[in-house]
Amino acid sequence: MNLSKSKYCNAIQCKKMLWLDTFLPAEKGEISNQAILDNGTEVGIKAKELFGTYIDIDFQKDLSVMLNDTKKAIESNENAIITEASFDYNHNFCSVDILRKMGEKYEIYEVKSSTEIKDIYKEDASYQHYVLTKLGYNVVKVFIVYLNSHYIRKGELDLNSLFIKEDITDFAKERSLTVENNIQEINEYMKQKEEPRKDIGIYCTKPYDCPFFAYCTKKLEKPNIFDIRGMRFSSKIKYYNQGLISFQDLLNEKINEKYKEQIDFEINKKEDKVEKEKIKEFLNTLERPLYFLDFETFQQAIPMYDDISPYEQIPFQYSLHIINEKNELSHKEFLAEPNIDPRRKLAEQLVKDIPLDVCTIAYNMSFEKNVIKKLASLYSDLREHLMNIHNHMKDLMIPFYNRDYYSKDMQGSYSIKYVLPALFPNDPSLNYHELEEVHNGSEAMNAYINMGNLPIGKQQELRKNLLKYCELDTFAMVKILEKLQEIIEKAD
Ligand code: SF4
């Protein structure tokens, strides 16, 4: 078997994952996010700059070209930084993100776009250390290079503060024999012609969600323990291992009331639950005029603008529906131009659009509140107004979070993406699937990030679709509020 860093790491998580990926790749589910991949590329480029001048080994489909180019770079330089330096020992291939050559000594730097070190990163670097050591290279140091979450950009990017280099040399050295054994075991495992029998377990989500989970659980009765919302995966596996798998199995078990309620409602096809007084109590906290607010944000692994940390949420768009004292509905919106720092303009527009002392409603408001608080900390002239908006916010999620209103169709979730279709099952105007191009927050983020690179015509189309998507988020809130009022009136 020809192994690589990623194949080795997949097999460390679960050998069957590698087997399925090799022999049944069509069964793989989709879990990657383009923005994460792009962030990874950007981090890789910046991490290389950390080392000054470097020789880059170009990616080639024919790996032997990369191996040859690496050999040449090593042989013709006494001291050098070589990126994507590629090696193969006995069909175990690896490209080292950054290799430092100092005469006869070598240092390995494995770059990660994360803000913390995961055990799997150490396994990855240990595999590289093993390959190079077996080929006779004197590897004296092994580092993981990752992002410093406390870094806040001020002026020029300070790469030395942005990145953290963690020395894991001792771990990699001690791991050598284990890596060798692992490689042997993986090779044996991969010889199997029949699909290996392996039950699901905690490793199905650790360290990463396995893309074959749907395949490996396809024979389980539906709905089952893995459909319970909010329960930790480790607890689900515990019940699964006890044979408590289908909702029927779980119905009479001692489990948290919320989980039990989900099961009970779905199995017994119960009517909607309405805690009239509690919903009324919530509605009474809302005073007209009402401002329904929703932000869209994006994140950058490498902060492009001042006062931003890696992966901080940067608002670029909002939608605002307004119900005035006469119960009339109007709409305002903001969408920043691409490739600029959108924050100041957005904050200025927001304080123009939302007056002081009015009730602003969000769904899961902690997100909107955090965005506003951050803007207030940046712009002292707008601080008072922004904090006024912040302090007058109400959360429309509350009746659903508390299950004062609950329907079996919410499937245990209080997310607006479940609540909305449960309340309005046949309304295409409230169906995110009916939208073009942008259907969820991560698609909105990707669309905005990429918009600047598109031809003008395509940009305009994307802008239109982004605006429609965000508008639906706040329009949905308006409809949900109307529905709650209607339900209360009916119950009276
Ligand atoms: S779902 Fe679990 S058992 Fe199946 S391949 Fe993935 S990690 Fe392995």
Side-chain angles (χ1 to χ4, degrees), residues 14 16-17 20 198-200 203-204 210 212-213 216:
C14 171
K16 186 172 177 181
M17 192 200 299
L20 289 171
K198 171 145 191 180
D199 207 352
I200 52 171
Y203 38 80
C204 298
C210 175
F212 293 100
F213 191 73
C216 286

Side-chain angles (χ1 to χ4, degrees), residues 268-303:
N268 297 315
K269 304 205 174 352
K270 283 198 158 177
E271 288 297 308
D272 293 1
K273 175 175 101 171
V274 181
E275 298 282 358
K276 200 179 83 177
E277 285 311 314
K278 287 186 180 152
I279 297 175
K280 245 188 189 173
E281 219 174 90
F282 171 76
L283 293 177
N284 285 340
T285 65
L286 312 178
E287 211 175 300
R288 279 170 170 71
L290 300 171
Y291 288 72
F292 299 81
L293 175 67
D294 184 75
F295 288 121
E296 296 307 322
T297 60
F298 71 107
Q299 295 167 290
Q300 298 169 324
I302 306 287

Side-chain angles (χ1 to χ4, degrees), residues 127 175 183 202 248 310 350 412 456 465 483:
Y127 169 80
R175 207 77 183 145
I183 291 172
I202 191 70
Q248 202 66 49
L350 191 69
I456 292 297
N465 290 333
K483 192 75 167 182

Side-chain angles (χ1 to χ4, degrees), residues 44 56 143 164 209 215 231 243 312 371 423 455 483:
D56 197 31
F143 294 92
I164 298 172
D209 287 341
Y215 174 75
M231 187 189 273
E312 189 175 310
V371 169
L423 294 181
K483 192 75 167 182

Side-chain angles (χ1 to χ4, degrees), residues 3-5 67 85-88 92-96 127-128 131-132:
L3 273 185
S4 63
K5 293 196 289 187
L67 296 173
S86 302
F87 303 90
D88 186 275
N92 299 300
F93 176 84
C94 73
S95 282
V96 176
Y127 169 80
Q128 297 170 50
V131 170
L132 269 72

